[in-house]
Amino acid sequence: MKTWGAYILIAIVCLSLLGTIVLMIVKGTLCYSVNVVELCSFLATIALAIVVVFLTKSLEKREIARDMIAKDLLELCSTYESNVHILEKLEKGELNLDAARSEINMTFHRGDIITDMISKELQESFPNFNHNICNIAMPYWKWLTGNDLQKSDFQINASFQKEHETTLRKTITDIRIVIHQLIKQS
């Protein structure tokens, strides 16, 4: 709707200029000794001013979209980081194993929803951005939900914590790399 308004405004300006020129020709007040170079320079200046305004607005829209997507990607990072707190609660005995599993599954569900939203935003704002964001957390999800956490006698030990931290940080790094690639492209 906003672009139609801009087109209508340009049409009104062009039609009024054309109408003024026609009236000047009819009344005979138009000076026919016009310097063609100055006229072309004047018209080029007007055209450049219009192009700069539209180009600036287009770039601002792209930057706003990029910033929103980057914010959503950072939210995705913090969503996956919440698994650390869930595992800490499990280790302290504040959560039982079934509740921890349920919360971890809910964390990945939230992550999937955010990922779907980001994918749609990328398709809309950056259709040529070539990255499949949906598969970034897959190794982390498979490792955490398919690991020892499924055993009934599961206990958090140093090895599990180290492996969890490594896998989580790799996932977060991959998400942040997407942000960097998005910044480079735009």
Side-chain angles (χ1 to χ4, degrees), residues 20-21 50 61 74 91 94-95 112-113 116-117 119 126 135 144 149 158 170 178 183:
T20 305
I21 292 171
I50 292 170
K61 287 178 186 176
L74 291 174
E91 186 177 27
E94 295 173 8
L95 279 177
D112 289 344
I113 291 171
D116 289 343
M117 179 181 67
S119 293
F126 302 96
N135 293 329
L144 187 57
L149 190 63
K170 182 186 178 333
V178 172
I183 291 170

Side-chain angles (χ1 to χ4, degrees), residues 83-84 87-88 91 140 143-144 147-148 154-171:
N83 282 334
V84 171
L87 292 172
E88 286 174 355
E91 186 177 27
Y140 176 53
W143 180 84
L144 187 57
N147 200 354
D148 296 335
F154 172 75
Q155 294 292 319
I156 295 178
N157 57 30
S159 172
F160 177 84
Q161 287 178 331
K162 182 179 178 182
E163 223 176 314
H164 178 256
E165 187 69 24
T166 303
T167 309
L168 174 63
R169 291 296 158 204
K170 182 186 178 333
T171 302

Side-chain angles (χ1 to χ4, degrees), residues 1-16 54:
M1 214 42 164
K2 292 179 183 179
T3 56
W4 282 108
Y7 291 136
I8 291 171
L9 182 63
I10 290 171
I12 290 171
V13 169
C14 290
L15 288 174
S16 22
F54 285 114

Side-chain angles (χ1 to χ4, degrees), residues 82-147:
S82 67
N83 282 334
V84 171
H85 302 293
I86 295 168
L87 292 172
E88 286 174 355
K89 287 180 182 178
L90 177 63
E91 186 177 27
K92 291 177 184 175
E94 295 173 8
L95 279 177
N96 66 30
L97 187 57
D98 288 334
R101 286 180 191 143
S102 177
E103 284 193 35
I104 287 171
N105 285 330
M106 189 55 144
T107 298
F108 283 111
H109 175 69
R110 276 189 219 108
D112 289 344
I113 291 171
I114 294 169
T115 301
D116 289 343
M117 179 181 67
I118 293 169
S119 293
K120 289 177 184 174
E121 290 172 341
L122 283 171
Q123 287 173 351
E124 180 67 30
S125 299
F126 302 96
N128 295 329
F129 187 70
N130 193 11
H131 198 288
N132 189 359
I133 189 89
C134 297
N135 293 329
I136 287 180
M138 187 66 69
Y140 176 53
W141 173 77
K142 283 182 179 178
W143 180 84
L144 187 57
T145 60
N147 200 354

